[in-house]
Amino acid sequence: MAYNLLKGKRGIIFGALNSDSIAWKVAERAHEEGATFTLTNTSVALRMGDTAKLAEKCNAELIGADATNVEELENLFKKSMEILGGKIDFVLHSIGMSPNVRKGRHYSDLDYNYLSKTLDISAISFHKTLQVARKMDAINEWGSVVALSYVAAQRTFYGYNDMADAKALLESIGRSFGYIYGRERHVRINTISQSPTVTTAGGGVKGFDRLLDFADRMSPLGNATGEDCADYCITLFSDLTRRVTMQNLFNDGGFSSMGMSLRALEQYEKGLHQECECGGALDEEHNYD
Ligand SMILES: NC(=O)c1ccc[n+]([C@@H]2O[C@H](COP(=O)([O-])OP(=O)(O)OC[C@H]3O[C@@H](n4cnc5c(N)ncnc54)[C@H](O)[C@@H]3O)[C@@H](O)[C@H]2O)c1
C-alpha cells in the first residue's frame, strides 16, 4: 500500500545489484511512494547485475560510481541533480564488501590490504558520500541519509569477520557527521541495523543459513525481511521522522534486546548430546570459534 510519503522528493540509491538486494526493495518502495531518484553502483556491478531492469521499472537513470572514489561521487551528485532537477532529499548507502571474507581469511589472520579495502568500501565510502554532498551543498534542508548496518557492530558474531569493524565505523560516521550536517543544514543521518537477509552480500557470511535460523528463533517478531527494511527506510526518508538523527535503529524483530528465547533454547537442546564439530582437537587453530 502506498501513502505518497515521498511525493516530490529526489533521491540517490546505492547498492541495488539484483532483486534480492535490500536497495532494490527500497527503490521499488520509493518509486511507489512517489519519489524520483537515480540508481548507482560500480561499473562492474552495473554490467554484471540486473540494475538496468530496476531502472526501467522505476523510470530511474543509472550512474556508475565506485563509492570509494571521490571524483566519481562528485560526478554522481552533479549528474543526479541535473537529471532530477534539483537538490537531493534522500540518500541510501547500501554497500558492503570484505575481501577477507571473500578469500576466507580468518579474523586472527587478516590481510591488512584487504582490511583497508573492507573499511574503505563498507564504511569510509559513507564518509566520502557525506563529505562530497556537503561540499557541493547537494542535499536539501531536512534531507535524510540512511546507511545499512548489522548488530555485529555491537556484539561478536562468529564468521562476521572484519565486517564487524566496518559496521562499527559506519555507525560512528553516521553519528559524527550527523552532528555537523544536522547543525548546519538540518540534514539527518541514521543507520538501520537489519536482520540477516538472504542477498548476495549476506550469503557471503560464514554459516549464514544457520545464522538466519538462529536470529529468527531468537526474535519475538521473527527476522525483518528486505521488504520490512525498505518500509523502514521510506519512513526515515519521509517528513514523518524529521527529528530522528544520529541513531542506529534496529530493524530486527527484537533480536538485539534478547538474551535467550524458548524457541532457540529448544532447538539447542535437540543437539545437546551430539558432538560439536567446532573447536578442540578438530580444529586446533581456531579453538575459540
Ligand atoms: N544481507 C544481510 O544479511 C544484511 C544484514 C544487515 C545489513 N546488511 C547490509 O545491507 C547493505 C546491502 O547489502 P545487501 O545484503 O543488500 O547485499 P547486496 O550484495 O545486494 O548489496 C551490496 C552492494 O554493495 C555494492 N558495492 C560493493 N562495492 C562497492 C563500491 N566500491 N562502490 C559502490 N557499491 C559497491 C555491490 O555492488 C552491491 O550492489 C550492506 O551494507 C550490508 O552489509 C545486510
Side-chain angles (χ1 to χ4, degrees), residues 66-97:
D66 181 329
T68 64
N69 183 312
V70 168
E71 287 77 35
E72 293 187 22
L73 288 170
E74 286 166 351
N75 178 58
L76 169 68
F77 275 96
K78 184 171 168 284
K79 280 208 177 131
S80 295
M81 288 192 286
E82 281 166 16
I83 292 164
L84 301 171
K87 286 193 204 180
I88 304 303
D89 299 295
F90 67 90
V91 177
L92 176 72
H93 178 288
S94 183
I95 298 171
M97 210 281 282

mmCIF file of all heavy atoms in Angstrom, residues 66-97:
data_model
loop_
_atom_site.group_PDB
_atom_site.id
_atom_site.type_symbol
_atom_site.label_atom_id
_atom_site.label_comp_id
_atom_site.label_asym_id
_atom_site.label_seq_id
_atom_site.Cartn_x
_atom_site.Cartn_y
_atom_site.Cartn_z
ATOM 1 N N ASP A 66 32.070 4.256 -8.204
ATOM 2 C CA ASP A 66 32.691 3.473 -7.140
ATOM 3 C C ASP A 66 32.643 4.374 -5.905
ATOM 4 O O ASP A 66 33.204 5.476 -5.917
ATOM 5 C CB ASP A 66 34.137 3.147 -7.548
ATOM 6 C CG ASP A 66 34.846 2.317 -6.496
ATOM 7 O OD1 ASP A 66 34.520 2.470 -5.300
ATOM 8 O OD2 ASP A 66 35.729 1.529 -6.863
ATOM 9 N N ALA A 67 31.968 3.919 -4.865
ATOM 10 C CA ALA A 67 31.734 4.785 -3.701
ATOM 11 C C ALA A 67 33.011 5.078 -2.904
ATOM 12 O O ALA A 67 32.983 5.856 -1.959
ATOM 13 C CB ALA A 67 30.665 4.168 -2.801
ATOM 14 N N THR A 68 34.120 4.464 -3.280
ATOM 15 C CA THR A 68 35.390 4.797 -2.620
ATOM 16 C C THR A 68 36.132 5.901 -3.384
ATOM 17 O O THR A 68 37.184 6.353 -2.951
ATOM 18 C CB THR A 68 36.318 3.559 -2.532
ATOM 19 O OG1 THR A 68 36.681 3.142 -3.855
ATOM 20 C CG2 THR A 68 35.636 2.408 -1.812
ATOM 21 N N ASN A 69 35.579 6.314 -4.520
ATOM 22 C CA ASN A 69 36.267 7.269 -5.387
ATOM 23 C C ASN A 69 35.557 8.636 -5.337
ATOM 24 O O ASN A 69 34.429 8.782 -5.815
ATOM 25 C CB ASN A 69 36.268 6.696 -6.819
ATOM 26 C CG ASN A 69 37.029 7.570 -7.781
ATOM 27 O OD1 ASN A 69 36.834 8.786 -7.825
ATOM 28 N ND2 ASN A 69 37.893 6.954 -8.563
ATOM 29 N N VAL A 70 36.250 9.620 -4.773
ATOM 30 C CA VAL A 70 35.631 10.934 -4.530
ATOM 31 C C VAL A 70 35.194 11.604 -5.837
ATOM 32 O O VAL A 70 34.094 12.168 -5.906
ATOM 33 C CB VAL A 70 36.606 11.826 -3.722
ATOM 34 C CG1 VAL A 70 36.137 13.270 -3.692
ATOM 35 C CG2 VAL A 70 36.754 11.290 -2.300
ATOM 36 N N GLU A 71 36.034 11.531 -6.874
ATOM 37 C CA GLU A 71 35.663 12.176 -8.152
ATOM 38 C C GLU A 71 34.388 11.545 -8.713
ATOM 39 O O GLU A 71 33.517 12.254 -9.222
ATOM 40 C CB GLU A 71 36.781 12.034 -9.213
ATOM 41 C CG GLU A 71 38.004 12.903 -8.962
ATOM 42 C CD GLU A 71 38.900 12.335 -7.876
ATOM 43 O OE1 GLU A 71 39.006 11.092 -7.785
ATOM 44 O OE2 GLU A 71 39.471 13.117 -7.080
ATOM 45 N N GLU A 72 34.289 10.232 -8.594
ATOM 46 C CA GLU A 72 33.094 9.564 -9.128
ATOM 47 C C GLU A 72 31.854 9.931 -8.311
ATOM 48 O O GLU A 72 30.755 10.052 -8.842
ATOM 49 C CB GLU A 72 33.314 8.040 -9.193
ATOM 50 C CG GLU A 72 34.378 7.682 -10.224
ATOM 51 C CD GLU A 72 34.547 6.180 -10.469
ATOM 52 O OE1 GLU A 72 33.621 5.399 -10.196
ATOM 53 O OE2 GLU A 72 35.638 5.805 -10.947
ATOM 54 N N LEU A 73 32.054 10.145 -7.004
ATOM 55 C CA LEU A 73 30.924 10.570 -6.162
ATOM 56 C C LEU A 73 30.493 11.996 -6.523
ATOM 57 O O LEU A 73 29.295 12.304 -6.567
ATOM 58 C CB LEU A 73 31.293 10.483 -4.683
ATOM 59 C CG LEU A 73 31.405 9.067 -4.101
ATOM 60 C CD1 LEU A 73 32.006 9.103 -2.700
ATOM 61 C CD2 LEU A 73 30.039 8.378 -4.071
ATOM 62 N N GLU A 74 31.480 12.857 -6.806
ATOM 63 C CA GLU A 74 31.149 14.235 -7.223
ATOM 64 C C GLU A 74 30.330 14.216 -8.502
ATOM 65 O O GLU A 74 29.320 14.909 -8.624
ATOM 66 C CB GLU A 74 32.445 15.041 -7.430
ATOM 67 C CG GLU A 74 33.096 15.422 -6.107
ATOM 68 C CD GLU A 74 34.543 15.912 -6.262
ATOM 69 O OE1 GLU A 74 35.114 15.804 -7.378
ATOM 70 O OE2 GLU A 74 35.102 16.380 -5.260
ATOM 71 N N ASN A 75 30.775 13.376 -9.437
ATOM 72 C CA ASN A 75 30.051 13.247 -10.708
ATOM 73 C C ASN A 75 28.630 12.723 -10.464
ATOM 74 O O ASN A 75 27.659 13.201 -11.061
ATOM 75 C CB ASN A 75 30.823 12.298 -11.638
ATOM 76 C CG ASN A 75 30.111 12.089 -12.953
ATOM 77 O OD1 ASN A 75 29.855 13.044 -13.677
ATOM 78 N ND2 ASN A 75 29.763 10.848 -13.254
ATOM 79 N N LEU A 76 28.519 11.763 -9.538
ATOM 80 C CA LEU A 76 27.212 11.179 -9.221
ATOM 81 C C LEU A 76 26.245 12.252 -8.698
ATOM 82 O O LEU A 76 25.090 12.339 -9.151
ATOM 83 C CB LEU A 76 27.396 10.069 -8.173
ATOM 84 C CG LEU A 76 26.124 9.534 -7.537
ATOM 85 C CD1 LEU A 76 25.287 8.770 -8.559
ATOM 86 C CD2 LEU A 76 26.454 8.610 -6.359
ATOM 87 N N PHE A 77 26.699 13.059 -7.750
ATOM 88 C CA PHE A 77 25.803 14.090 -7.191
ATOM 89 C C PHE A 77 25.470 15.149 -8.251
ATOM 90 O O PHE A 77 24.320 15.586 -8.361
ATOM 91 C CB PHE A 77 26.427 14.713 -5.938
ATOM 92 C CG PHE A 77 26.131 13.916 -4.693
ATOM 93 C CD1 PHE A 77 27.034 12.992 -4.203
ATOM 94 C CD2 PHE A 77 24.922 14.064 -4.023
ATOM 95 C CE1 PHE A 77 26.758 12.232 -3.067
ATOM 96 C CE2 PHE A 77 24.630 13.319 -2.880
ATOM 97 C CZ PHE A 77 25.554 12.398 -2.409
ATOM 98 N N LYS A 78 26.488 15.538 -9.032
ATOM 99 C CA LYS A 78 26.274 16.572 -10.056
ATOM 100 C C LYS A 78 25.223 16.080 -11.057
ATOM 101 O O LYS A 78 24.226 16.766 -11.319
ATOM 102 C CB LYS A 78 27.617 16.853 -10.754
ATOM 103 C CG LYS A 78 27.589 17.954 -11.774
ATOM 104 C CD LYS A 78 29.032 18.279 -12.212
ATOM 105 C CE LYS A 78 29.055 19.154 -13.433
ATOM 106 N NZ LYS A 78 28.745 18.448 -14.668
ATOM 107 N N LYS A 79 25.461 14.880 -11.577
ATOM 108 C CA LYS A 79 24.541 14.350 -12.604
ATOM 109 C C LYS A 79 23.151 14.104 -12.027
ATOM 110 O O LYS A 79 22.147 14.362 -12.682
ATOM 111 C CB LYS A 79 25.095 13.041 -13.185
ATOM 112 C CG LYS A 79 26.158 13.253 -14.222
ATOM 113 C CD LYS A 79 26.157 12.068 -15.206
ATOM 114 C CE LYS A 79 27.178 12.291 -16.311
ATOM 115 N NZ LYS A 79 28.037 11.113 -16.516
ATOM 116 N N SER A 80 23.104 13.607 -10.803
ATOM 117 C CA SER A 80 21.795 13.325 -10.196
ATOM 118 C C SER A 80 20.978 14.609 -10.059
ATOM 119 O O SER A 80 19.771 14.617 -10.356
ATOM 120 C CB SER A 80 21.973 12.672 -8.814
ATOM 121 O OG SER A 80 22.586 11.422 -8.950
ATOM 122 N N MET A 81 21.635 15.694 -9.652
ATOM 123 C CA MET A 81 20.903 16.963 -9.507
ATOM 124 C C MET A 81 20.429 17.477 -10.859
ATOM 125 O O MET A 81 19.322 18.014 -10.971
ATOM 126 C CB MET A 81 21.769 17.994 -8.781
ATOM 127 C CG MET A 81 21.927 17.674 -7.303
ATOM 128 S SD MET A 81 22.640 19.014 -6.350
ATOM 129 C CE MET A 81 24.352 18.947 -6.841
ATOM 130 N N GLU A 82 21.263 17.277 -11.891
ATOM 131 C CA GLU A 82 20.859 17.700 -13.246
ATOM 132 C C GLU A 82 19.647 16.888 -13.717
ATOM 133 O O GLU A 82 18.647 17.438 -14.164
ATOM 134 C CB GLU A 82 22.009 17.467 -14.240
ATOM 135 C CG GLU A 82 23.084 18.543 -14.189
ATOM 136 C CD GLU A 82 24.369 18.115 -14.934
ATOM 137 O OE1 GLU A 82 24.317 17.146 -15.732
ATOM 138 O OE2 GLU A 82 25.393 18.733 -14.678
ATOM 139 N N ILE A 83 19.760 15.571 -13.570
ATOM 140 C CA ILE A 83 18.698 14.678 -14.069
ATOM 141 C C ILE A 83 17.388 14.896 -13.304
ATOM 142 O O ILE A 83 16.300 14.971 -13.881
ATOM 143 C CB ILE A 83 19.140 13.200 -13.943
ATOM 144 C CG1 ILE A 83 20.286 12.908 -14.910
ATOM 145 C CG2 ILE A 83 17.984 12.238 -14.165
ATOM 146 C CD1 ILE A 83 21.037 11.604 -14.606
ATOM 147 N N LEU A 84 17.504 15.032 -11.982
ATOM 148 C CA LEU A 84 16.293 15.099 -11.147
ATOM 149 C C LEU A 84 15.753 16.530 -11.028
ATOM 150 O O LEU A 84 14.652 16.741 -10.529
ATOM 151 C CB LEU A 84 16.584 14.511 -9.760
ATOM 152 C CG LEU A 84 17.070 13.045 -9.757
ATOM 153 C CD1 LEU A 84 17.529 12.623 -8.373
ATOM 154 C CD2 LEU A 84 15.964 12.104 -10.248
ATOM 155 N N GLY A 85 16.566 17.487 -11.460
ATOM 156 C CA GLY A 85 16.092 18.874 -11.491
ATOM 157 C C GLY A 85 16.160 19.592 -10.153
ATOM 158 O O GLY A 85 15.333 20.463 -9.879
ATOM 159 N N GLY A 86 17.135 19.254 -9.330
ATOM 160 C CA GLY A 86 17.294 19.998 -8.064
ATOM 161 C C GLY A 86 18.103 19.202 -7.060
ATOM 162 O O GLY A 86 18.612 18.108 -7.363
ATOM 163 N N LYS A 87 18.187 19.792 -5.860
ATOM 164 C CA LYS A 87 18.981 19.133 -4.809
ATOM 165 C C LYS A 87 18.307 17.831 -4.345
ATOM 166 O O LYS A 87 17.106 17.628 -4.537
ATOM 167 C CB LYS A 87 19.121 20.082 -3.618
ATOM 168 C CG LYS A 87 20.086 21.222 -3.868
ATOM 169 C CD LYS A 87 20.385 21.882 -2.540
ATOM 170 C CE LYS A 87 20.838 23.299 -2.724
ATOM 171 N NZ LYS A 87 21.122 23.954 -1.448
ATOM 172 N N ILE A 88 19.113 17.040 -3.657
ATOM 173 C CA ILE A 88 18.694 15.695 -3.262
ATOM 174 C C ILE A 88 18.021 15.730 -1.873
ATOM 175 O O ILE A 88 18.465 16.455 -0.981
ATOM 176 C CB ILE A 88 19.954 14.780 -3.211
ATOM 177 C CG1 ILE A 88 20.684 14.796 -4.568
ATOM 178 C CG2 ILE A 88 19.607 13.356 -2.771
ATOM 179 C CD1 ILE A 88 19.861 14.385 -5.767
ATOM 180 N N ASP A 89 16.964 14.943 -1.718
ATOM 181 C CA ASP A 89 16.267 14.866 -0.421
ATOM 182 C C ASP A 89 16.635 13.627 0.381
ATOM 183 O O ASP A 89 16.512 13.635 1.604
ATOM 184 C CB ASP A 89 14.747 14.864 -0.636
ATOM 185 C CG ASP A 89 14.275 16.129 -1.317
ATOM 186 O OD1 ASP A 89 14.403 17.196 -0.703
ATOM 187 O OD2 ASP A 89 13.819 16.049 -2.472
ATOM 188 N N PHE A 90 16.996 12.548 -0.312
ATOM 189 C CA PHE A 90 17.349 11.335 0.450
ATOM 190 C C PHE A 90 18.434 10.527 -0.267
ATOM 191 O O PHE A 90 18.532 10.544 -1.503
ATOM 192 C CB PHE A 90 16.117 10.450 0.727
ATOM 193 C CG PHE A 90 15.492 9.825 -0.481
ATOM 194 C CD1 PHE A 90 15.895 8.572 -0.943
ATOM 195 C CD2 PHE A 90 14.472 10.479 -1.170
ATOM 196 C CE1 PHE A 90 15.308 7.991 -2.052
ATOM 197 C CE2 PHE A 90 13.883 9.902 -2.292
ATOM 198 C CZ PHE A 90 14.298 8.648 -2.736
ATOM 199 N N VAL A 91 19.245 9.867 0.548
ATOM 200 C CA VAL A 91 20.324 9.005 0.019
ATOM 201 C C VAL A 91 20.287 7.688 0.789
ATOM 202 O O VAL A 91 20.200 7.687 2.023
ATOM 203 C CB VAL A 91 21.723 9.668 0.218
ATOM 204 C CG1 VAL A 91 22.830 8.726 -0.266
ATOM 205 C CG2 VAL A 91 21.812 11.012 -0.503
ATOM 206 N N LEU A 92 20.346 6.581 0.067
ATOM 207 C CA LEU A 92 20.524 5.276 0.709
ATOM 208 C C LEU A 92 21.916 4.748 0.397
ATOM 209 O O LEU A 92 22.266 4.582 -0.776
ATOM 210 C CB LEU A 92 19.490 4.255 0.203
ATOM 211 C CG LEU A 92 19.723 2.839 0.787
ATOM 212 C CD1 LEU A 92 19.348 2.793 2.267
ATOM 213 C CD2 LEU A 92 18.952 1.783 0.000
ATOM 214 N N HIS A 93 22.701 4.500 1.449
ATOM 215 C CA HIS A 93 24.016 3.842 1.309
ATOM 216 C C HIS A 93 23.798 2.376 1.666
ATOM 217 O O HIS A 93 23.553 2.045 2.831
ATOM 218 C CB HIS A 93 25.003 4.512 2.278
ATOM 219 C CG HIS A 93 26.388 3.915 2.284
ATOM 220 N ND1 HIS A 93 26.665 2.690 2.841
ATOM 221 C CD2 HIS A 93 27.560 4.378 1.808
ATOM 222 C CE1 HIS A 93 27.955 2.432 2.702
ATOM 223 N NE2 HIS A 93 28.527 3.441 2.083
ATOM 224 N N SER A 94 23.857 1.499 0.677
ATOM 225 C CA SER A 94 23.584 0.070 0.890
ATOM 226 C C SER A 94 24.746 -0.702 0.267
ATOM 227 O O SER A 94 24.586 -1.368 -0.758
ATOM 228 C CB SER A 94 22.236 -0.268 0.231
ATOM 229 O OG SER A 94 21.884 -1.593 0.464
ATOM 230 N N ILE A 95 25.901 -0.575 0.898
ATOM 231 C CA ILE A 95 27.165 -1.050 0.312
ATOM 232 C C ILE A 95 27.936 -1.853 1.346
ATOM 233 O O ILE A 95 28.132 -1.382 2.479
ATOM 234 C CB ILE A 95 28.036 0.162 -0.123
ATOM 235 C CG1 ILE A 95 27.318 0.987 -1.196
ATOM 236 C CG2 ILE A 95 29.410 -0.310 -0.609
ATOM 237 C CD1 ILE A 95 28.014 2.298 -1.518
ATOM 238 N N GLY A 96 28.359 -3.033 0.964
ATOM 239 C CA GLY A 96 29.205 -3.802 1.873
ATOM 240 C C GLY A 96 30.010 -4.823 1.098
ATOM 241 O O GLY A 96 29.499 -5.457 0.176
ATOM 242 N N MET A 97 31.280 -4.959 1.448
ATOM 243 C CA MET A 97 32.135 -5.971 0.806
ATOM 244 C C MET A 97 33.414 -6.130 1.617
ATOM 245 O O MET A 97 34.006 -5.142 2.031
ATOM 246 C CB MET A 97 32.480 -5.521 -0.610
ATOM 247 C CG MET A 97 32.689 -6.645 -1.593
ATOM 248 S SD MET A 97 34.302 -7.421 -1.452
ATOM 249 C CE MET A 97 35.335 -6.237 -2.284
#
